[in-house]
Amino acid sequence: MQRYFIYLAYDGTNYHGWQIQPNGSSVQECLMKALSTFLRREVEVIGAGRTDAGVHASLMVAHFDNEEELDTLIVTDKLNRLLPPDISVFKVCRVKKDAHARFDATARTYKYYVTTTKYPFNRQYRCRVYGTLDFELMNRAAATLFDYSDFTSFSKLHTDVKTNLCRIMHAEWTQVDDTTWVFTIQADRFLRNMVRAIVGTLLEVGRGKLTVEGFRQIIEQQDRCKAGTSAPGNALFLVSVEYPRHLFLI
């Protein structure tokens, strides 16, 4: 049995997230249907993570198995022909038989975009904010994330994960242009709704409704009810998933 990694991108606007849902379409379902059509058998696809409804990915990774060795260029081409316009495959590559798209990922990076102005072509991919935000203060608050590993305060309640421990390696707001800022965050793993909850709470800091010390206290209280409202999903992008090089076969 040969295992393959699929590198893909998708616009999450029309999907109920990555994972298969009983009451709506998902990216995982679309990818499995395309693979099953091409390989003429049922195929299970495992993703590197589970993006929420409406969240996008400029780079997601998933894996599947096949008994016979495949031409990865042909698979890439066929999948792009079978998939809808809002899902595309960059490449398919051979990996070791025990490589796992989710458990072997060493880092994941998300970007969240906010804009201070109304612009029709931004509405699907930016979160519009009103008033003045203190991004310097927001970055001071974001820096406190490095001091902690338990992020229960920013996790969706009643999930099936065994631990809420994560290691955050990067968290920073940077200016894209006169009206747009982006929050980039990288960690070894993320909890359900974690990035959107962090962004929503940082926006409270930027508006002057929460101090840096208050942000720190929210983390320490380990209580989701103490944190801010989750920011909308349409402005969030999964942009990178990293793996050890030894997993890949030439």
Side-chain angles (χ1 to χ4, degrees):
M1 189 71 72
Q2 176 62 58
R3 179 157 292 181
Y4 296 87
F5 273 12
I6 303 174
Y7 284 75
L8 67 149
Y10 53 85
D11 181 328
T13 303
N14 296 321
Y15 298 97
H16 287 66
W18 161 265
Q19 191 172 19
I20 291 178
Q21 303 289 331
N23 58 347
S25 60
S26 70
V27 180
Q28 183 184 29
E29 180 183 18
C30 286
L31 187 57
M32 288 173 60
K33 284 183 177 179
L35 266 173
S36 298
T37 299
F38 171 58
L39 297 175
R40 298 181 181 179
R41 65 176 179 83
E42 293 296 318
V43 180
E44 182 180 14
V45 173
I46 306 296
R50 297 186 293 187
T51 54
D52 294 333
V55 175
H56 318 289
S58 57
L59 192 151
M60 166 65 95
V61 182
H63 77 247
F64 74 97
D65 296 326
N66 196 63
E67 290 185 2
E68 300 176 358
E69 188 168 320
L70 300 170
D71 184 319
T72 55
L73 292 178
I74 291 177
V75 177
T76 301
D77 178 66
K78 292 295 185 182
L79 287 179
N80 279 323
R81 293 171 183 264
L82 291 165
L83 287 166
D86 51 8
I87 304 176
S88 65
V89 173
F90 296 130
K91 65 177 180 180
V92 177
C93 53
R94 296 170 58 239
V95 294
K96 293 183 177 180
K97 294 180 180 180
D98 60 349
H100 199 285
R102 179 182 176 188
F103 298 132
D104 284 331
T106 57
R108 299 163 173 86
T109 304
Y110 281 88
K111 289 183 180 290
Y112 193 95
Y113 292 86
V114 300
T115 182
T116 58
T117 188
K118 182 179 180 180
Y119 186 58
F121 304 109
N122 276 344
R123 70 189 188 281
Q124 281 187 240
Y125 310 110
R126 302 288 185 269
C127 172
R128 187 183 176 193
V129 293
Y130 298 87
T132 302
L133 293 175
D134 188 335
F135 286 97
E136 181 180 352
L137 198 63
M138 291 161 68
N139 271 334
R140 284 173 53 194
T144 67
L145 294 167
F146 304 133
D147 299 333
Y148 300 92
S149 57
D150 190 320
F151 295 102
T152 300
S153 294
F154 300 125
S155 173
K156 184 176 181 179
L157 299 175
H158 312 301
T159 64
D160 55 359
V161 299
K162 297 180 180 179
T163 175
N164 288 334
L165 300 181
C166 309
R167 181 170 63 90
I168 295 179
M169 291 90 87
H170 183 87
E172 183 183 22
W173 289 93
T174 55
Q175 190 167 9
V176 178
D177 54 39
D178 291 342
T179 62
T180 306
W181 288 74
V182 59
F183 179 63
T184 304
I185 184 167
Q186 182 185 63
D188 58 347
R189 63 189 292 262
F190 286 94
L191 307 173
R192 294 283 303 279
N193 203 235
M194 180 174 167
V195 180
R196 293 167 56 199
I198 289 175
V199 170
T201 310
L202 287 174
L203 290 175
E204 294 295 288
V205 175
R207 295 183 178 111
K209 297 181 178 180
L210 182 67
T211 65
V212 173
E213 185 57 35
F215 184 83
R216 182 185 291 275
Q217 290 175 0
I218 285 174
I219 301 174
E220 293 177 350
Q221 288 174 326
Q222 298 179 14
D223 183 350
R224 178 65 185 92
C225 296
K226 302 295 184 181
T229 302
S230 295
N234 68 293
L236 181 60
F237 291 76
L238 173 63
V239 300
S240 176
V241 186
E242 300 177 19
Y243 297 94
R245 294 190 63 180
H246 69 81
L247 295 180
F248 299 88
L249 302 177
I250 300 176

